[in-house]
Amino acid sequence: MEDEIPDIRELGMGMSVLRPIMERFTVDRESLERKYPLTLSEVRHERMRRFYAGWLKALETLDFENLAQTDRIDTLLFRNHLHHCLEHLENQRIRRREMEALLPFGAKLLGLAEQRQRMEWVQPEQAATLMNAVEQEIAQQRRELEAGEPGTWRPAVANRAADAVTLLREAVTHWNTFYQGYDPLFTWWVEEPYKAVDKALEGYAEFLREKLVGVKTGEEGAIIGDPLGREALLSELASEMIPYTPEELIMIAEKEFAWCEAEMLRAAVEVGCTDRHTALEYVKTLHRPPGEQPEMIREMAEEAIAFLEARDLVTIPPLAVETWRMEMMSPEMQLVNPFFLGGEVIQVSFPTHTMTHEQKRMSMRGNNPHFARATVQHELIPGHHLQMYAILRFRPYRRILNTAFWIEGWALYWEMLLWNLGFPLTPENRIGMLFWRSHRAARIVFSLKFHLNQMTAQECIEMLVERVGHERANATAEVRRSFKGDYGPLYQAAYMLGGLQMMALRRELVDTGRMTDRTFHDAVLQENSIPMEMVRASLTQQTLPQDFVSQWRFYEAE
């Protein structure tokens, strides 16, 4: 085999005046976050506020009018990022204040942890006295809540407070570990009061979840979530450069949903069914037997790569093809994510022998070959694996601007484009791909309506079961994953909306003959994870003023 010779010419791409600035910002922020890890702390809040505000002022010293196009884009993106960070800080402060009355002892415990952060010497007797007082406060707080009127506290706020108690407990444990055993006087005074407070905090968190939230410790229980509200949603949309209201986006989703339903009915008739529900049930029965799922995924991955290369749609580096890997997802992880996860490693969701009979059946049905036809290429090539490969190699300093509208939008866009190019070969294939496409439309509707306080978590589950065709356990896992706090409020909406943005941009540049498919797709990958409106500005060489405001109405071309 001949030695591979890297094309070092591409290594100079993506150089920017802003690159060293954003790289310095990134490492400085990481240093501060390590120094001030207590997210409940007002000290941390104020330090990070000054940090972001300082960088905003520093940006004002740049001569924007004389910057090159890439540097203008970076400046606008970095400024937007800093404003969003400040808004996020303030939103966190508001949400902390909403639960303060449930944590009257919180400031005392944070004070101990912050004292240690400042490396100030602890006074063991005073610390023991404080611990004793906190234990009594927790007990008193529990008595008052027990005697209070049911329903006084919103479950979302109470659940937030329970999570905060867990964070406080971790902070106090860290504080105690620093001194315990090393300082004899501290150990003599504090050992027993600390144990009492640790037990009280653990019990209080359980009490909040069971009494005020309604979820028993150790059980999945109801999905609580924490709706953001319309004003905060509008702020999130502005930061993502999406010039639409939540209501407008819901209307777009319903239009896409209607298209999916019409196409699903057409495919259902072709397989001899009278409606989409019957057709979906039929396709779900075509699952592979236990043990054969990994081979099926490998075959589908190779098929997608061959399809792309035959049509010269995008550059696929040999190293990207060589380095993707496969792992099986644990049963515990499948409770939260019942389908595939991907990137360089595709994690396969399929039942194990430890699952109940019903769990096994639902997992196999939900991961049948026709559903997987969309998810394999979504997760690997041309989806997330190819995308992550590019992110690490082109303008990597932009990774701090990470947006789901580019990350998930790119992968969903390929589902749309491959559909248009005839990738689904049979009506069963089309039914499987339409299942996922309708799911993405549903995500826009249920996630935005949840944060607008127009849908409950249970109503979101019912929507996925009735309108999309999910297995109930899978629908529950999807909604739990959406609202348990690991994802931003717009993340689920970003799949289809980002895909629609990219489809609109392709019509503008490829359909008009200004770029080939391959040139277009390579250029999008080389922009890294930034809002799609800025990708468009780069590819079209749009003139960008210093007071730029998002205005791309990408769905009007539909």
Side-chain angles (χ1 to χ4, degrees), residues 145 148-155 158 211-213:
L145 291 172
E149 289 292 326
T152 301
W153 289 93
R154 287 192 296 117
K211 173 71 176 180
L212 303 187
V213 182

Side-chain angles (χ1 to χ4, degrees), residues 61-350:
T61 65
L62 291 176
D63 184 2
F64 186 87
E65 296 304 322
N66 288 319
L67 292 177
Q69 177 75 346
T70 295
D71 300 325
R72 286 189 174 206
I73 290 172
D74 284 339
T75 301
L76 292 172
L77 287 171
F78 188 31
R79 185 182 69 191
N80 181 67
H81 178 70
L82 291 168
H83 278 298
H84 182 248
C85 289
L86 285 168
E87 289 172 357
H88 182 66
L89 274 180
E90 188 55 33
N91 185 53
Q92 284 184 317
R93 171 183 271 169
I94 291 169
R95 293 163 87 80
R96 284 199 307 272
R97 287 176 176 170
E98 288 178 340
M99 62 181 181
E100 275 182 353
L102 290 172
L103 306 170
F105 49 84
K108 294 183 178 69
L109 297 180
L110 284 172
L112 288 176
E114 288 165 348
Q115 182 187 38
R116 196 198 70 77
Q117 284 179 346
R118 295 191 299 269
M119 292 172 279
E120 295 176 2
W121 194 250
V122 67
Q123 298 295 323
E125 185 176 356
Q126 292 178 10
T129 300
L130 186 147
M131 289 275 112
N132 188 58
V134 166
E135 182 193 6
Q136 293 177 25
E137 281 190 64
I138 294 172
Q140 178 62 26
Q141 182 71 8
R142 287 187 62 159
R143 286 192 294 269
E144 291 177 3
L145 291 172
E146 285 278 15
E149 289 292 326
T152 301
W153 289 93
R154 287 192 296 117
V157 175
N159 194 56
R160 199 188 307 157
D163 290 339
V165 172
T166 300
L167 291 176
L168 285 171
R169 186 181 177 211
E170 291 172 359
V172 175
T173 297
H174 191 203
W175 167 82
N176 179 70
T177 302
F178 184 82
Y179 300 105
Q180 184 68 222
Y182 296 94
D183 183 330
L185 197 58
F186 177 93
T187 304
W188 191 90
W189 275 108
V190 178
E191 183 172 18
E192 292 306 316
Y194 161 73
K195 288 179 181 178
V197 165
D198 183 65
K199 184 178 180 180
L201 288 171
E202 181 181 27
Y204 187 57
E206 293 178 0
F207 167 80
L208 289 176
R209 291 194 173 97
E210 294 186 6
K211 173 71 176 180
L212 303 187
V213 182
V215 177
K216 290 186 177 180
T217 303
E219 296 181 4
E220 288 289 349
I223 300 169
I224 305 304
D226 204 349
L228 205 59
R230 189 173 188 274
E231 291 306 311
L233 271 184
L234 287 170
S235 175
E236 292 289 327
L237 287 167
S239 74
E240 294 284 4
M241 299 187 178
I242 305 291
Y244 290 83
T245 66
E247 293 79 10
E248 288 175 317
L249 297 178
I250 291 170
M251 289 177 63
I252 290 173
E254 290 290 0
K255 183 175 179 179
E256 292 296 313
F257 222 140
W259 180 90
C260 291
E261 289 173 334
E263 288 294 323
M264 183 75 82
L265 182 58
R266 186 175 295 113
V269 172
E270 291 183 43
V271 297
C273 298
T274 57
D275 59 76
R276 60 187 180 88
H277 289 291
T278 307
L280 280 170
E281 287 304 306
Y282 160 67
V283 168
K284 289 177 183 179
T285 67
L286 304 178
H287 57 76
R288 292 289 182 92
E292 294 187 13
Q293 196 79 343
E295 178 63 16
M296 180 196 78
I297 292 168
R298 184 186 63 79
E299 291 171 355
M300 288 184 174
E302 293 172 351
E303 178 192 19
I305 292 169
F307 187 93
L308 298 167
E309 291 182 332
R311 290 156 182 79
D312 198 31
L313 293 175
V314 63
T315 299
I316 306 176
L319 191 62
V321 177
E322 178 184 351
T323 54
W324 75 267
R325 305 185 303 285
M326 186 188 305
E327 298 290 345
M328 302 304 291
M329 197 182 300
S330 70
E332 295 75 20
M333 185 64 182
Q334 290 183 54
L335 292 174
V336 178
N337 189 81
F339 307 108
F340 300 168
L341 291 175
E344 189 172 88
V345 178
I346 187 166
Q347 299 179 56
V348 182
S349 184
F350 210 65

